[in-house]
Amino acid sequence: MLIVHSYVKLMYNPSMNISENIRKLREKFKFFNTLTDDELSIFLGYCETEQIAEGETLWKEGDYCNYAAFIVSGKVGIKKRTEFEGKYMIVGTFGSGTVLGELCLLTDKPRSVTAVVLEPVDSIILSNDNFELLLTEHTQLGMKLLKHIFIITSERLTRSTDRIAKIF
């Protein structure tokens, strides 16, 4: 039986029952579709929800890496500093169903990009500490998440190299 966490409130639509709200959440994230109801409940128990207003900064390039964000709704712009003082290059925009900052769960390196909210965001946050706890207490579930992180990274790397190849 799936325990209803506060994440359901992020998606809450009074005209739908809780099962429909949960189904909608599963539709947004590939990773959630790989989990049983029990695993999803366990995973979300390690997470928190956060609502972030338009114009707010999730993190800045160089900040300490301490969480990944599952974007339930809204849009986030990712930008990278250039060699010109105060100038940035837009790396991409990401919306509902995207996981951002996932590499922070694997390394202790500072953030490599700045993330700015372009449209109000509802998110599910997994901190580094809770990720480590998840790996220790629910190893198989943690391994599923790791596999998903590698898939995301691989897909983004492929898209990036394709874009670079089109330039030349």
Side-chain angles (χ1 to χ4, degrees):
M1 174 78 178
L2 184 66
I3 298 169
V4 180
H5 294 278
S6 60
Y7 73 90
V8 174
K9 293 177 186 172
L10 290 174
M11 302 255 330
Y12 183 68
N13 179 339
S15 66
M16 289 190 271
N17 65 35
I18 290 174
S19 295
E20 289 176 278
N21 281 300
I22 291 167
R23 182 184 54 76
K24 288 290 232 179
L25 187 61
R26 282 185 183 276
E27 287 174 3
K28 291 183 181 287
F29 297 97
K30 291 178 190 176
F31 172 59
F32 293 165
N33 285 320
T34 68
L35 305 179
T36 66
D37 284 355
D38 287 342
E39 288 173 327
L40 180 55
S41 181
I42 291 167
F43 173 76
L44 291 169
Y46 286 86
C47 299
E48 297 178 14
T49 59
E50 189 172 344
Q51 295 178 318
I52 307 120
E54 181 177 336
E56 293 291 319
T57 299
L58 287 173
W59 58 74
K60 292 180 181 175
E61 187 173 341
D63 282 356
Y64 173 69
C65 253
N66 59 351
Y67 69 91
F70 291 71
I71 307 302
V72 176
S73 65
K75 191 176 286 184
V76 176
I78 303 296
K79 59 186 184 177
K80 177 82 176 149
R81 260 186 262 162
T82 68
E83 61 190 56
F84 304 104
E85 185 67 33
K87 300 294 180 187
Y88 291 86
M89 178 177 80
I90 301 300
V91 177
T93 57
F94 298 92
S96 179
T98 304
V99 182
L100 299 175
E102 68 282 354
L103 292 180
C104 285
L105 299 176
L106 305 177
T107 72
D108 59 354
K109 305 239 185 253
R111 299 272 186 189
S112 63
V113 294
T114 296
V116 178
V117 176
L118 303 175
E119 295 174 5
V121 165
D122 289 326
S123 64
I124 297 169
I125 303 295
L126 178 62
S127 71
N128 290 19
D129 290 342
N130 282 349
F131 174 65
E132 292 291 330
L133 200 55
L134 175 70
L135 281 172
T136 301
E137 295 177 352
H138 300 279
T139 305
Q140 285 186 304
L141 180 55
M143 294 305 289
K144 283 184 177 184
L145 178 57
L146 279 172
K147 181 178 178 182
H148 184 69
I149 290 171
F150 289 130
I151 289 169
I152 291 170
T153 304
S154 174
E155 289 171 351
R156 288 185 185 158
L157 182 58
T158 299
R159 282 194 306 272
S160 294
T161 53
D162 288 349
R163 276 189 245 144
I164 291 169
K166 287 179 183 177
I167 294 171
F168 298 102

